[in-house]
């Protein structure tokens, strides 16, 4: 290492002090050195001839005039001027007082001289990708400026009088002859005491005189205006473009033709004349808040049941399968669902629905099952009449009545159907195909096609007596 | 002909009922006549009239025969059966012959009583709701409940429901 430590340096200095390189102010014989010693004198590399100069010449700021205070001030005043009074006034029309205060605070926080001296174009990663002071709107980049006022919330459609007034105001812009609305009316030609009285209550002679005077006045006015028209017929009336603009752009509201940036229409009033009362709210207070979405409203109308009664019905999903419609664009998969619904007291229905959404298919099937409910004939409110058999496709369901306490010795889907219908004693077999949907359909068909013993007896002219209801006073359970 | 004419008559009555006929005819045999009268007692048919090849007039249906049977006309006699309907449905829906000439099916009294209560005995299925059975006994052709009342079994002819 070639760098001398302080103690060493002092030692070396003392050694060199005797050498006659440079005279010292006072020839002190001891250790105090006052001579500059360069470390590179001790380096092995060759010493540079002079001070190192850059390969490319730079220009000094002072040479460019940047360091001159006057030039800085001039540049600052030119490029970063203060807001003028007019500009501030204009800003006040655009911004709220709080925003103006924030603007002024921001202006005061930055010295314009610093912008001149230190302001640089950024090239860091977080630079905004275009050079802008956001003073102007660039349509490609920026959203459209919403510089119009909000719509008038209290505006309403004009009534006939307001519309007439508005039309007159518009027409007066294209003044031909006298300003409209300044002509005298019939009331101006009656004595003072009748001016407040309706025309029908005027005495006959007063009315006749008034009409006569009014007619003369109108004729004179027409004549006068025609003469004035002849003198300078400049055609100052509205052009077709004006009329088109009136039709298309004139606001029909009482907002004085104010235009806004929003496309939202004004909200309709709560009671539109002619429409009020036609549209009822979906929520029926009789539902007691059980059907705010309105799922059961159609069912309610069709069945006549209340929502409480509908919700009290027993429903059960019997079959759930996935089906697909093969199209050019691929398979459209849906869920097919079968439901049964019953009131537990002799009514049963089955419903089938498909949807791409399983929950919707279930809801539809359930509502359809409730809609399809029909009365099922039951013997003693617990079993069926006789033995019935029904066939759907290759599925045969055979059902037999059974004594009390027998229970439901049936397959699980028929079990759910029996439970919904309120049948407690039944035997059923499905001897052939056990397709789920067909077994449900066949069971429903079998339940609906039970024979009626009374009808059979009447057809044969016989008297029918159920001995179970005769012996022991009918107490045979 | 024996049991074969009974089989034919059963199938013909079922066909006639399903075709919604009001009046039909079966061959005039003693066996057919007894079966028809048993069905009439059971209320399954409206009338049984012996007539000629043409249907008897409606007023003649109240009589048992339109004209006396003679040697001359006996070959052309037929039994005219009036069919019954109730609530737009035939009273006879199904008539299925049980015995056939190649296989006669008989039932004794105890078997008959079980069948009448809806229980099956060997090949003979129990009677269902609204179903009845006709059998030929030595007391004539009887409905199953008549046979039970008279405590006789016999040859089972057909089941009607």
């Amino acid at each position: 290492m070639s760098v001398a430590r302080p103690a060493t340096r002092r030692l070396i200095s003392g050694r060199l002090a005797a050498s006659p390189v440079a005279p010292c102010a006072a020839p002190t014989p001891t250790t105090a050195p006052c001579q500059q010693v360069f470390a590179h004198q001790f380096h092995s590399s060759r010493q540079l001839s002079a001070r190192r100069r850059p390969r490319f010449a730079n220009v000094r700021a002072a040479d460019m005039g940047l360091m001159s205070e006057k030039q800085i001030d001039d540049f600052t005043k030119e490029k970063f001027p203060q807001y003028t009074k007019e500009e501030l006034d204009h800003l006040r029309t655009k911004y709220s007082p709080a925003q103006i205060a924030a603007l002024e605070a921001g202006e005061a926080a930055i010295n314009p001289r610093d912008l001149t001296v230190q302001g640089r174009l950024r090239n860091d990663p977080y630079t905004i990708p275009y050079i802008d002071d956001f003073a102007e709107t660039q349509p490609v980049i920026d959203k459209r400026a919403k510089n119009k006022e909000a719509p008038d919330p209290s505006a309403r459609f004009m009534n006939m009088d307001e519309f007439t007034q508005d039309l007159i105001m518009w027409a007066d812009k294209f003044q031909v002859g006298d300003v409209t609305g300044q002509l005298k009316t019939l009331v101006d030609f009656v004595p003072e005491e009748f001016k407040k009285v309706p025309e029908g209550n005027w005495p006959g002679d007063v009315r006749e005189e008034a009409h006569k005077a009014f007619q003369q006045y109108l004729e004179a006015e027409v004549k006068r205006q025609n003469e004035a028209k002849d003198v300078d017929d400049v055609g100052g009336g509205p052009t077709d473009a004006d009329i088109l603009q009136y039709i298309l752009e004139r606001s029909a509201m009482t907002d004085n033709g104010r235009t806004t940036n929003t496309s939202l229409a004004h909200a309709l009033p709560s009671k539109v004349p002619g429409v009020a009362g036609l549209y009822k709210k979906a929520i029926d207070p009789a539902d007691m808040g059980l059907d705010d979405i309105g799922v059961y409203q159609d069912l309610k109308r069709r069945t006549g049941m209340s929502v409480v009664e509908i919700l009290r019905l027993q429903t059960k999903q019997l079959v759930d399968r996935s089906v697909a419609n093969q199209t050019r664009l691929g398979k459209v998969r849906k869920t097919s669902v079968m439901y049964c619904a019953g009131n537990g007291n002799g009514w049963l229905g089955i419903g089938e629905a498909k949807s791409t959404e399983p929950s919707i298919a279930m809801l539809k099937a359930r509502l359809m099952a409730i809609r399809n409910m029909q009365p099922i004939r039951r013997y003693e409110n617990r079993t069926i009449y006789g033995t019935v058999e029904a066939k759907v496709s290759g599925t045969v369901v055979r059902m037999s009545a059974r004594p009390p306490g027998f229970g439901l010795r049936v397959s699980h889907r028929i079990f759910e159907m029996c439970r919904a219908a309120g049948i407690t004693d039944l035997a059923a077999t499905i001897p052939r195909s056990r397709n789920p949907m067909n077994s449900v359909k066949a069971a429903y068909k079998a339940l609906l096609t039970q024979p009626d013993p009374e009808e059979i007896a009447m057809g044969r002219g016989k008297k029918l007596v159920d001995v179970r209801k005769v012996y022991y006073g009918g107490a045979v359970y | 002909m024996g049991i074969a004419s009974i089989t034919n008559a059963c199938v013909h009555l079922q066909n006639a009922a399903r075709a919604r006929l009001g009046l039909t005819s079966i061959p005039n045999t003693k066996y057919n006549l007894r079966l028809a009268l048993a069905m009439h007692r059971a209320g399954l048919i409206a009338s049984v009239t012996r007539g000629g090849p043409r249907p008897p007039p409606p007023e003649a249906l109240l009589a048992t025969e339109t004209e006396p049977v003679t040697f001359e006309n006996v070959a052309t006699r037929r039994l005219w059966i009036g069919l019954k309907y109730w609530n737009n449905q035939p009273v006879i829906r199904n008539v299925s012959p049980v015995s056939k000439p190649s296989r006669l099916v008989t039932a004794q009294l105890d078997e008959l009583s079980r069948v009448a209560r809806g229980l099956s005995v060997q090949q003979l299925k129990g009677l269902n709701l609204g179903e009845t059975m006709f059998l030929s006994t030595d007391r004539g052709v009887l409905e199953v409940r008549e046979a039970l009342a008279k405590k006789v079994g016999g040859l089972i002819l057909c089941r009607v429901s």
Side-chain angles (χ1 to χ4, degrees):
Chain A
M1 186 170 182
S2 60
V3 177
R5 286 175 168 277
T8 321
R9 189 184 295 157
R10 193 172 297 131
L11 192 69
I12 293 167
S13 304
R15 188 180 62 82
L16 292 175
S19 63
V21 175
C24 193
T28 50
T30 55
T31 61
C34 61
Q35 187 179 9
Q36 192 176 14
V37 176
F38 295 103
H40 58 69
Q41 286 175 342
F42 304 103
H43 283 197
S44 60
S45 58
R46 190 165 155 257
Q47 192 178 355
L48 288 172
S49 60
R51 186 173 65 87
R52 184 184 169 275
R53 302 215 177 262
R55 290 172 64 195
F56 305 102
N58 293 322
V59 181
R60 287 169 182 273
D63 295 345
M64 293 177 67
L66 292 179
M67 300 300 285
S68 156
E69 283 298 321
K70 184 176 178 303
Q71 282 181 321
I72 290 172
D73 286 344
D74 290 347
F75 185 86
T76 305
K77 275 174 185 158
E78 184 196 345
K79 295 292 182 187
F80 310 113
Q82 297 284 331
Y83 281 128
T84 63
K85 190 170 180 304
E86 292 78 27
E87 286 171 341
L88 279 174
D89 287 343
H90 183 63
L91 284 177
R92 282 196 186 95
T93 64
K94 298 282 183 184
Y95 297 109
S96 66
Q99 288 172 322
I100 291 290
L103 275 176
E104 286 174 343
E107 289 285 325
I110 298 173
N111 190 351
R113 187 182 184 280
D114 292 345
L115 288 176
T116 305
V117 176
Q118 302 174 13
R120 296 291 179 271
L121 293 180
R122 291 172 61 173
N123 59 356
D124 57 297
Y126 307 106
T127 313
I128 295 169
Y130 59 94
I131 303 162
D132 198 358
D133 62 351
F134 307 111
E136 293 174 351
T137 302
Q138 298 190 14
V140 176
I141 299 167
D142 298 325
K143 288 182 178 174
R144 185 185 294 177
K146 297 192 172 179
N147 48 10
K148 291 179 179 170
E149 294 175 52
D152 186 1
S154 60
R156 54 176 174 76
F157 283 100
M158 292 187 280
N159 59 27
M160 186 59 82
D161 291 339
E162 289 162 343
F163 180 79
T164 310
Q165 195 63 38
D166 183 68
L167 181 63
I168 290 170
M169 276 173 58
W170 173 79
D172 280 344
K173 289 196 297 185
F174 313 97
Q175 193 173 346
V176 180
D178 292 348
V179 175
T180 53
Q182 293 184 353
L183 290 176
K184 290 183 180 177
T185 58
L186 186 63
V187 185
D188 296 327
F189 294 93
V190 292
E192 195 64 38
E193 64 265 30
F194 296 119
K195 282 197 193 293
K196 296 283 175 63
V197 181
E199 187 187 347
N201 297 348
W202 295 345
D205 53 342
V206 171
R207 190 193 302 177
E208 272 183 25
E209 281 195 14
H211 274 281
K212 196 182 285 177
F214 185 54
Q215 192 65 31
Q216 285 174 355
Y217 166 75
L218 282 182
E219 284 169 3
E221 273 295 314
V222 169
K223 193 177 174 189
R224 189 180 64 76
Q225 290 197 6
N226 282 341
E227 284 169 358
K229 199 176 181 181
D230 290 340
V231 170
D232 50 349
D233 189 3
V234 292
T239 62
D240 288 350
D242 290 328
I243 293 169
L244 188 65
Q245 190 186 22
Y246 174 83
I247 294 168
L248 294 181
E249 296 179 8
R250 189 82 168 180
S251 171
M253 315 277 294
T254 57
D255 55 2
N256 237 345
R258 183 202 288 194
T259 54
T260 68
N261 289 120
T262 175
S263 62
L264 293 176
H266 292 276
L268 286 172
S270 59
K271 285 184 181 173
V272 180
V275 183
L278 290 180
Y279 293 90
K280 289 173 186 163
K281 288 182 179 175
I283 300 173
D284 188 354
D287 299 343
M288 298 185 290
L290 293 171
D291 186 28
D292 286 349
I293 308 169
V295 172
Y296 300 109
Q297 295 304 310
D298 183 50
L299 201 58
K300 225 171 67 170
R301 190 171 51 77
R302 285 176 184 276
T303 61
M305 288 190 285
S306 70
V307 173
V308 177
E309 288 168 338
I310 290 172
L311 292 175
R312 205 178 287 148
L313 296 174
Q314 299 176 31
T315 56
K316 188 80 181 176
Q317 181 179 330
L318 298 176
V319 186
D320 178 13
R321 64 188 182 127
S322 179
V323 294
N325 179 20
Q326 181 73 52
T327 69
R328 283 189 307 170
L329 305 174
K331 287 178 177 169
V332 180
R333 289 189 168 81
K334 290 186 176 182
T335 303
S336 173
V337 177
M338 209 171 195
Y339 253 80
C340 76
N343 65 350
N345 193 22
W347 280 68
L348 183 69
I350 56 174
E352 193 184 342
K354 285 195 272 288
S355 174
T356 51
E357 193 65 35
S359 61
I360 291 176
M362 286 160 67
L363 177 66
K364 278 163 65 180
R366 194 160 67 89
L367 296 181
M368 195 56 79
I370 295 172
R371 255 179 69 178
N372 291 342
M373 284 205 313
Q374 290 185 55
I376 301 287
R377 183 174 292 128
R378 292 183 299 164
Y379 178 62
E380 291 179 349
N381 290 344
R382 55 170 187 87
T383 187
I384 64 169
Y385 283 93
T387 300
V388 284
E389 188 177 297
K391 180 170 178 286
V392 171
S393 187
T395 303
V396 174
V397 171
R398 189 179 298 138
M399 293 179 172
S400 301
R402 284 294 180 262
F406 185 84
L408 292 170
R409 301 189 196 174
V410 296
S411 68
H412 64 286
R413 293 188 180 88
I414 301 177
F415 177 87
E416 297 296 347
M417 292 170 71
C418 289
R419 205 159 66 150
I423 293 172
T424 53
D425 301 306
L426 192 71
T429 53
I430 312 176
R432 289 173 54 181
S433 164
R434 292 186 194 135
N435 177 284
M437 296 195 94
N438 286 341
S439 60
V440 170
K441 287 178 187 170
Y444 190 58
K445 194 174 163 188
L447 288 173
L448 286 177
T449 52
Q450 294 176 49
D452 183 0
E454 290 292 333
E455 289 283 308
I456 292 172
M458 275 152 75
R460 292 182 192 173
K462 301 282 184 187
K463 181 186 175 187
L464 181 76
V465 174
D466 184 0
V467 290
R468 280 178 58 84
K469 294 184 175 63
V470 174
Y471 291 129
Y472 311 114
V476 291
Y477 279 104
Chain B
M1 292 290 285
I3 199 76
S5 69
I6 289 288
T7 307
N8 291 341
C10 288
V11 174
H12 178 72
L13 284 179
Q14 175 177 296
N15 289 343
R18 290 184 181 180
R20 300 292 197 272
L21 301 183
L23 195 64
T24 187
S25 66
I26 56 176
N28 176 33
T29 66
K30 285 189 277 187
Y31 221 165
N32 277 353
L33 177 63
R34 289 179 189 138
L35 176 64
L37 290 175
M39 283 186 172
H40 187 260
R41 287 198 302 275
L44 291 168
I45 53 181
S47 63
V48 182
T49 306
R50 185 186 281 131
R54 313 297 299 172
E59 66 272 13
L61 293 179
L62 295 172
T64 54
E65 53 187 12
T66 52
E67 54 181 301
V69 182
T70 62
F71 284 115
E72 283 74 26
N73 67 7
V74 67
T76 59
R77 293 304 91 186
R78 292 188 67 80
L79 294 175
W80 289 93
I81 310 288
L83 297 172
K84 280 174 95 173
Y85 297 89
W86 179 254
N87 278 353
N88 283 329
Q89 293 295 322
V91 172
I92 295 176
R93 290 163 190 261
N94 289 294
V95 186
S96 53
V98 177
S99 291
K100 55 182 181 175
S102 61
R103 181 172 175 269
L104 302 177
V105 180
T106 56
Q108 294 175 0
L109 186 59
D110 56 338
E111 295 169 346
L112 212 56
S113 69
R114 286 179 64 80
V115 171
R117 280 179 278 140
L119 303 167
S120 298
V121 175
Q122 294 177 356
Q123 299 301 310
L124 206 55
K125 290 274 170 56
L127 290 179
N128 194 8
L129 181 72
E131 199 173 24
T132 185
M133 205 156 65
F134 291 92
L135 56 161
S136 175
T137 68
D138 51 1
R139 312 279 292 273
V141 175
L142 303 175
E143 198 208 342
V144 59
R145 289 175 188 91
E146 290 173 334
L148 287 174
K150 294 181 175 175
K151 298 187 187 298
V152 288
L155 178 69
I156 298 170
L157 301 179
C158 61
R159 308 166 70 107
V160 184
S161 64

